[in-house]
Amino acid sequence: MSFPKLIPAFTAQIVIEPPANIGTTARGGTILFVPFVPNSGSVKSEDSYPIQLDAEFVHGADYVRMDPNGENVRLEIHSVAKDKATGALFRFSYTGTVSLAGPAGKMFRGEPDMATTGFGDAFTHHVFETGDERLGPLQNKVFVGSGRFIIEPGKPIVVEYKISEVTAS
């Protein structure tokens, strides 16, 4: 038996608006609502990936749940994107975990010295859903990602993910 391998598939860039605090809920932990900037950002295939996609996010939001111990946040994202070439719509959702111990924690806490982070604090599992025949095979694959936060003065924060397909080795 061998471990699976990763095939580089997509780069996603999500432009986000400032978060709103929903508060502490009955399920535990504080929830932040982080909307996407509508009609912005992208999901683009790597040149070598067999299913080519160049899409823009139409709508989306992240529901960030803080762990009670303050060490991590849990991501739950739901969005819709549109392929620029065909107009095909697809649902792009993912869950993940972000460690607050490193540079990503500064971003979540809004610290004044926050800066663009490296990859390694955020890991995700991505799911595609669509009725489009050409993009349909994406629904039957498993995708994982690693993310970072791009912070530039005077601009909205961009969350960037490098997403890979998980396959047999």
Side-chain angles (χ1 to χ4, degrees):
M1 182 185 285
S2 60
F3 287 96
K5 70 177 181 177
L6 299 179
I7 299 171
F10 304 101
T11 298
Q13 290 195 326
I14 302 161
V15 184
I16 59 173
E17 294 183 6
N21 190 341
I22 292 174
T24 302
T25 68
R27 291 178 56 195
T30 300
I31 297 178
L32 299 176
F33 167 68
V34 184
F36 290 17
V37 173
N39 302 307
S40 67
S42 62
V43 180
K44 294 182 182 179
S45 298
E46 296 299 307
D47 291 340
S48 61
Y49 195 68
I51 300 172
Q52 286 297 298
L53 180 62
D54 182 5
E56 180 178 73
F57 289 103
V58 176
H59 169 78
D62 188 351
Y63 300 87
V64 178
R65 184 180 302 273
M66 302 282 196
D67 281 0
N69 65 11
E71 293 178 6
N72 296 285
V73 295
R74 309 292 163 165
L75 307 175
E76 180 182 341
I77 289 79
H78 302 280
S79 66
V80 173
K82 183 177 183 177
D83 183 59
K84 292 177 182 177
T86 66
L89 292 172
F90 60 94
R91 182 176 180 211
F92 180 77
S93 57
Y94 59 95
T95 58
T97 303
V98 180
S99 170
L100 300 179
K106 289 184 175 194
M107 193 277 309
F108 275 96
R109 291 186 294 273
E111 294 180 11
D113 64 337
M114 65 181 181
T116 295
T117 68
F119 292 95
D121 288 339
F123 294 96
T124 52
H125 167 238
H126 299 260
V127 176
F128 291 82
E129 294 179 274
T130 185
D132 183 74
E133 187 175 311
R134 187 180 69 80
L135 299 177
L138 297 174
Q139 301 175 111
N140 301 318
K141 299 178 182 294
V142 173
F143 295 95
V144 295
S146 180
R148 71 179 183 141
F149 300 92
I150 300 171
I151 299 170
E152 297 178 358
K155 294 184 179 180
I157 293 173
V158 175
V159 185
E160 180 178 58
Y161 291 100
K162 295 294 187 179
I163 302 165
S164 296
E165 177 186 339
V166 179
T167 189
S169 56

